[in-house]
Amino acid sequence: MNILLRLIVFALDPLGLGRRFLIRPAVNVGWNVYDRVRSKADEKVGTVRELVLRLGLIAFAVVLIIWLAVFMYAAFYYVYMPAISHTRPVHMQFKTCLETSTPCTFPHAHVSLTKKQQLLMVGQAYKVIVNIDMPESPQNLELGMFMVCAEMRDYDSMLRGHSCRSAMMRYRSPLIRMISTWALSPLYVLGWKEEFQQVPVEIFSRYLEERQHPITDVYVEIQSQKIQFYTVTLHIVADFTGLRYIMFNWPVLSAIVAISTNLFFILVVFLLSWYHWSDAKWLHSVQIKYARLTKSLEPDVMLSKASSLRDDDDDLVAYSDKSDIADVGGDTLSDVDADDLVLVKKSRGGKRESPDALRKRPTKKTTADH
């Protein structure tokens, strides 16, 4: 097949002029065009890759900055904001009188807050509230006022706070009670609502925790033998003020402002760092200066510098002595043998000979006797 193709080509162009002046230039032009197109395509692909890489880096930096701003606010919120409230059940105890089947002592209870770690935050004010669920029974309606006392003790059972507050049920006239009972009777029948009042008693308005004596136990006592109640609970609620009050009551607004502020400062630091470190000339110059300084402080370099300074001093001395020797005996340098010219003459003690001594030294004749 190759032989037949060669024969056909030789028959059509026996001298090879077509191949030399037409086919080969056309093939070369085609290859050149192909190379240019391929190089442009490679450049475009490289440009697209570089663009995608830059966009990826920018997106990564943006996500990292946003995540860092959110993380900083979340960490600050976790450290700065204490728990909003702590609730513990209060199990009242009393002694029963056998004759009347009524309590012979005041109902009292011991509430354990914590045993391992500090429950309340130091420096934060808390409200200590005792909630009493009292039914609207005739005995409670006739009870009137009563006292509720509480004691705060630390791990060593030392008294850290004591307070007593008076309380009573909310008064409602018989007509209001009758109307509300008729209106809410379906809920009462279905068990969705009960006839009782929750009486909150604020024992401490602003209790402050101490770092050295954290509160671990609370003792509650109701000073009434005729009181009737369903449940009693102890609530310790944080009384926020200032920044904590804003962060608690407007959490969304506080988060937006705080995260925006963090973003602003992080972007400023990031841009300044980028501008500072992008210019590498100052870093290169600092490295060169540091290398020169460390090299100059090496012992070998300091000795070489000292020896070079001594050599320079000797050269200066030789030059000055040479001018003195030129004037010895009134002869010129051409009349003195070059082998006897002494540039630097030092004695054994290291001192240079004076010009007078050099003048007294005899010189050799430059011409020989025939």
Side-chain angles (χ1 to χ4, degrees):
M1 187 67 182
N2 293 332
I3 296 174
L4 181 60
L5 183 60
R6 289 180 180 179
L7 290 175
I8 293 172
V9 171
F10 180 76
L12 295 176
D13 188 13
L15 299 178
L17 297 177
R19 287 175 291 176
R20 182 179 299 176
F21 295 102
L22 294 177
I23 297 176
R24 289 181 180 176
V27 171
N28 292 331
V29 170
W31 279 111
N32 291 332
V33 172
Y34 173 75
D35 291 337
R36 290 179 181 177
V37 172
R38 185 175 180 179
S39 63
K40 289 182 179 180
D42 293 338
E43 290 178 358
K44 290 182 179 180
V45 171
T47 305
V48 172
R49 289 179 180 176
E50 185 178 0
L51 180 61
V52 172
L53 180 61
R54 290 183 178 181
L55 291 177
L57 291 175
I58 292 173
F60 176 76
V62 170
V63 172
L64 180 63
I65 291 173
I66 295 175
W67 180 86
L68 183 60
V70 175
F71 175 77
M72 289 176 62
Y73 176 72
F76 174 76
Y77 188 90
Y78 177 78
V79 173
Y80 186 70
M81 292 292 293
I84 300 172
S85 64
H86 304 278
T87 303
R88 297 289 188 275
V90 180
H91 303 288
M92 290 293 180
Q93 299 178 0
F94 54 86
K95 292 183 179 181
T96 306
C97 295
L98 299 177
E99 295 80 5
T100 60
S101 299
T102 56
C104 289
T105 59
F106 295 149
H108 60 278
H110 169 224
V111 181
S112 179
L113 296 179
T114 181
K115 293 182 179 180
K116 295 182 179 180
Q117 60 184 358
Q118 192 168 8
L119 182 65
L120 306 180
M121 179 177 285
V122 178
Q124 172 62 44
Y126 290 90
K127 291 182 178 180
V128 180
I129 302 172
V130 177
N131 291 325
I132 306 173
D133 295 338
M134 301 176 59
E136 293 182 347
S137 62
Q139 185 174 347
N140 282 337
L141 294 176
E142 295 176 357
L143 179 62
M145 299 182 66
F146 57 92
M147 298 293 292
V148 179
C149 298
E151 294 181 355
M152 311 286 280
R153 296 183 180 270
D154 58 4
Y155 185 77
D156 298 328
S157 298
M158 293 181 61
L159 182 63
R160 309 310 305 176
H162 175 77
S163 178
C164 293
R165 294 289 187 270
S166 62
M168 67 175 296
M169 296 183 64
R170 294 289 178 181
Y171 173 77
R172 294 196 304 171
S173 64
L175 180 60
I176 297 299
R177 287 203 304 271
M178 184 180 63
I179 293 174
S180 62
T181 302
W182 280 102
L184 300 176
S185 58
L187 300 179
Y188 294 145
V189 172
L190 295 175
W192 292 351
K193 192 173 177 60
E194 295 181 1
E195 292 182 287
F196 72 92
Q197 293 184 17
Q198 188 178 66
V199 180
V201 183
E202 187 175 315
I203 304 298
F204 293 94
S205 300
R206 292 184 61 84
Y207 178 79
L208 296 175
E209 178 79 330
E210 298 181 8
R211 187 180 300 275
Q212 302 297 331
H213 302 280
I215 297 303
T216 58
D217 301 282
V218 179
Y219 294 87
V220 181
E221 184 182 44
I222 301 176
Q223 297 180 355
S224 176
Q225 297 180 2
K226 298 181 180 181
I227 188 174
Q228 296 178 347
F229 52 84
Y230 290 141
T231 58
V232 180
T233 55
L234 177 67
H235 290 271
I236 301 177
V237 184
D239 187 13
F240 294 131
T241 57
L243 181 59
R244 287 174 177 159
Y245 180 82
I246 297 174
M247 293 175 66
F248 175 72
N249 290 279
W250 295 281
V252 178
L253 180 61
S254 302
I256 292 174
V257 173
I259 293 174
S260 302
T261 305
N262 292 337
L263 281 175
F264 174 75
F265 285 105
I266 291 172
L267 285 175
V268 169
V269 173
F270 180 78
L271 292 176
L272 291 177
S273 302
W274 180 271
Y275 177 77
H276 185 67
W277 289 98
S278 61
D279 187 8
K281 293 181 180 179
W282 68 272
L283 183 61
H284 185 63
S285 63
V286 169
Q287 291 177 353
I288 292 175
K289 291 180 181 179
Y290 179 75
R292 289 178 180 176
L293 180 61
T294 53
K295 188 175 181 181
S296 63
L297 294 177
E298 293 179 358
D300 298 336
V301 177
M302 296 179 70
L303 290 175
S304 62
K305 286 184 177 181
S307 61
S308 63
L309 290 174
R310 286 197 297 269
D311 294 339
D312 295 339
D313 294 338
D314 293 341
D315 293 339
L316 293 174
V317 172
Y319 181 77
S320 62
D321 291 343
K322 185 175 180 180
S323 61
D324 294 337
I325 294 171
D327 298 333
V328 175
D331 296 333
T332 60
L333 290 174
S334 61
D335 297 334
V336 182
D337 192 359
D339 296 334
D340 296 334
L341 291 176
V342 180
L343 296 179
V344 179
K345 184 64 176 177
K346 296 183 179 180
S347 62
R348 294 181 180 178
K351 296 181 179 180
R352 184 168 56 85
E353 294 184 0
S354 61
D356 296 336
L358 292 175
R359 291 191 185 97
K360 293 179 181 180
R361 187 184 298 275
T363 59
K364 293 181 180 182
K365 295 181 181 181
T366 56
T367 57
D369 298 335
H370 296 284

